[in-house]
Amino acid sequence: TTKSDAQFNYLIDPIFSNIPGDQAPVHVTSIQPSNNSFGISTEQPLFATFDSALDVSTVATDSLQLKAGHTIVAGTTTYVAKTAQLVFKPNVSLNPSTTYTLSINAGLRSEVGNSLDDTDAKSVTFTTGAMLNPTLNDGKGGPILVVKGAEDPFSNYTSEI
């Protein structure tokens, strides 16, 4: 509040309040794999990155959740403080040619207690790549030509060799 007297001397009545310094919500800066991506490796890491450090007491096993359709994929979520990332590791390899949704669940807070920004995307959908089906005659690099002898000059290695 300000007041002035007849000589234009301003008198100020300061008002103090206990407003904490950082009230900005936590923003999701990226989720990997990206939304609507295709051909994702069944072994690719899944993670969400934030613009500020998270309070580790708010990080739970289901802070990142992966679903194939309506089925929850079992796995663990860990927090990497150095990079402000949540990393989801499925208990088993993902299925090939399958659409998944990775979601960030509510309840996460920053180290100063701020919650996630409501306007940020909190889930992505992606599809894993097709599995390659090698035949018994295909090795890791494909068929290999072997000359055994004059009577049977050509044959293939089997995949066991």
Side-chain angles (χ1 to χ4, degrees), residues 126-149:
F126 64 93
T127 303
T128 53
M131 183 171 78
L132 301 176
N133 294 318
T135 65
L136 289 178
N137 292 329
D138 293 336
K140 289 190 178 246
I144 300 173
L145 176 65
V146 177
V147 178
K148 292 190 335 186

Side-chain angles (χ1 to χ4, degrees), residues 90-157:
N91 291 344
V92 295
S93 294
L94 300 180
N95 294 323
S97 301
T98 304
T99 299
Y100 291 93
T101 301
L102 180 65
S103 302
I104 302 170
N105 289 331
L108 293 172
R109 294 194 171 278
S110 71
E111 287 181 332
V112 295
N114 300 332
S115 58
L116 291 175
D117 188 314
D118 290 336
T119 62
D120 287 348
K122 304 219 180 27
S123 68
V124 294
T125 300
F126 64 93
T127 303
T128 53
M131 183 171 78
L132 301 176
N133 294 318
T135 65
L136 289 178
N137 292 329
D138 293 336
K140 289 190 178 246
I144 300 173
L145 176 65
V146 177
V147 178
K148 292 190 335 186
E151 68 284 345
D152 184 14
F154 301 104
S155 66
N156 288 326
Y157 274 126

